[in-house]
């Protein structure tokens, strides 16, 4: 089957690879930046894109008759928009090349798909922590909708809801324990400490998933690149088939720690 363009009528252009995209951040311990260039990961991203074009699903290790409909790439071209996919090329202890792949956040509600590096935080533990608090926040929202504006009770419930959300965010940040290449561990709260609250979704991008997995499995990263696949985001800062370094907003503040100890 020939590769199909997800945008019919449009010629798909492959991005130019230079291998020089740089992902990194400031390391407080070493008092300098640590970074990792894209290297061979750019070509590996293009190989991944060709596979997604051909199969139109991400559960590539599963036989086509057993494919999970939730893993189809069709949704990436619909309203909700596309997604970042990341590749980390590494060497194992024997010097063999290992290519790790990850998608950002969840894929259609899935945290784990065979062939992809899983999340930093155990989804079961995450669910156990967040579900009851989110249910409570939802109930408060319903109660608020029935109260008159500016009433005393409304103000109280709003404050209660805000405190619950803040508390939940803090608890989530404590759940994310990132490992670096010195073998050290730190939670998102510890890494951000005096730099305020981590933005929502910090730790769920491709780069932290991949680096965390490599550090925990004795793999030496050599190249890191991300590719955007699907409908461009609303601000058009992400375009289908373009290569990117790790993001500045969520990843830069944690990559200094995560890359520490990498030779
Ligand atoms: Zn990121
Ligand atoms: Zn360092």
């Amino acid at each position: 089957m020939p590769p199909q363009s997800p945008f019919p009528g449009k010629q798909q252009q492959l991005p130019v690879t230079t291998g020089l995209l740089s992902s990194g951040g400031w390391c407080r311990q070493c008092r300098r930046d640590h970074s990792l260039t894209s290297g061979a990961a750019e070509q590996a991203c293009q190989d991944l894109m060709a596979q997604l074009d051909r199969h139109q699903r991400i559960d590539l290790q599963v036989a086509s008759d057993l494919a999970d409909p939730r893993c189809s790439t069709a949704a990436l071209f619909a309203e909700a928009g596309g997604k970042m996919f990341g590749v980390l090329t590494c060497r194992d202890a024997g010097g063999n090349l290992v290519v790790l792949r990850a998608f950002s956040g969840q894929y259609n509600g899935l945290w784990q798909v065979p062939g992809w590096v899983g999340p930093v935080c155990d989804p079961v533990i995450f669910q156990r922590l967040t579900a009851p608090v989110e249910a409570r926040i939802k109930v408060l929202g319903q109660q608020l909708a029935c109260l008159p504006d500016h009433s005393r009770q409304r103000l109280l419930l709003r404050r209660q809801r805000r405190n619950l959300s803040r508390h939940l965010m803090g608890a989530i940040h404590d759940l994310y324990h990132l490992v670096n290449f010195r073998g050290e561990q730190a939670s998102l709260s510890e890494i951000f400490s005096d730099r305020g609250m981590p933005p929502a979704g910090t730790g769920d991008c491709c780069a932290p998933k991949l680096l965390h997995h490599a550090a925990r499995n004795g793999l030496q990263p050599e190249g890191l690149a991300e590719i955007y696949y699907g409908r461009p985001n609303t601000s058009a800062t992400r375009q289908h088939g373009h290569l990117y370094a790790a993001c500045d907003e969520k990843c830069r503040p944690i990559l200094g720690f995560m890359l520490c100890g990498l030779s």
Side-chain angles (χ1 to χ4, degrees):
M1 191 170 62
Q4 253 180 304
S5 167
F7 295 130
K10 267 196 193 170
Q11 194 76 37
Q12 250 184 250
Q13 262 185 351
L14 283 180
V16 180
T17 57
T18 60
L20 293 174
L21 289 172
S22 178
S23 300
W26 176 256
C27 175
R28 253 187 281 190
Q29 201 168 306
C30 304
R31 303 192 138 272
R32 67 179 185 90
D33 266 338
H34 295 309
S35 62
L36 183 61
T37 50
S38 45
E42 287 192 21
Q43 183 57 51
C45 276
Q46 294 194 349
D47 297 345
L48 167 62
M49 181 161 160
Q51 269 186 297
L52 295 178
D53 285 349
R54 192 159 58 244
H55 299 284
Q56 295 173 31
R57 59 191 176 93
I58 69 157
D59 51 348
L60 300 161
Q61 291 188 345
V62 178
S64 58
D65 53 335
L66 297 173
D68 185 337
R70 290 172 297 176
C71 291
S72 158
T73 55
L76 300 177
F77 296 94
E79 216 50 59
K83 204 172 201 38
M84 294 298 295
F85 292 87
V87 173
L88 187 68
T89 51
C90 317
R91 296 279 163 187
D92 68 12
N96 305 300
L97 177 70
V98 179
V99 178
L100 300 175
R101 290 170 166 183
F103 49 81
S104 68
Q106 299 184 52
Y107 195 91
N108 246 340
L110 300 169
W111 280 112
Q112 270 150 331
V113 175
W116 301 85
V117 164
V120 168
C121 162
D122 183 334
V124 176
I125 296 174
F126 183 89
Q127 187 66 17
R128 207 176 290 153
L129 173 88
T130 57
V133 188
E134 274 167 0
R136 179 82 193 108
I137 289 172
K138 198 174 160 190
V139 169
L140 281 175
Q142 286 159 349
Q143 289 172 338
L144 274 167
C146 305
L147 291 170
D149 284 347
H150 310 299
S151 66
R152 186 174 153 68
Q153 207 190 351
R154 189 183 168 85
L155 289 174
L156 279 172
L157 283 191
R158 277 186 58 166
R159 189 181 307 156
Q160 207 179 331
R161 186 173 65 170
R162 198 168 51 234
N163 286 342
L164 268 178
S165 304
R166 201 174 293 163
H167 191 78
L168 177 63
M169 286 304 280
I172 289 173
H173 297 147
D174 287 339
L175 271 191
Y176 279 72
H177 278 271
L178 299 169
V179 175
N180 70 13
F181 294 90
R182 284 184 196 265
E184 298 162 336
Q185 267 200 39
S187 71
L188 284 182
S189 317
E190 286 164 341
I191 294 174
F192 270 76
S193 60
D194 52 352
R195 287 177 291 178
M197 275 284 241
T202 300
D204 290 332
C205 286
C206 305
K209 285 188 187 183
L210 292 164
L211 291 169
H212 181 76
H213 182 91
R216 286 181 46 164
N217 289 277
L219 300 169
Q220 275 291 109
E222 290 184 342
L224 171 68
E226 300 188 7
I227 192 162
Y228 187 82
Y229 196 88
R231 178 191 283 254
N233 63 349
T234 39
S235 52
T237 52
R238 294 282 182 265
Q239 298 286 338
H240 178 64
H242 285 213
L243 294 164
Y244 297 91
C247 72
D248 283 338
E249 190 207 5
K250 293 180 244 179
C251 289
R252 178 158 280 279
I254 58 177
L255 286 191
F257 171 79
M258 293 200 81
L259 291 170
C260 192
L262 192 64
S263 52

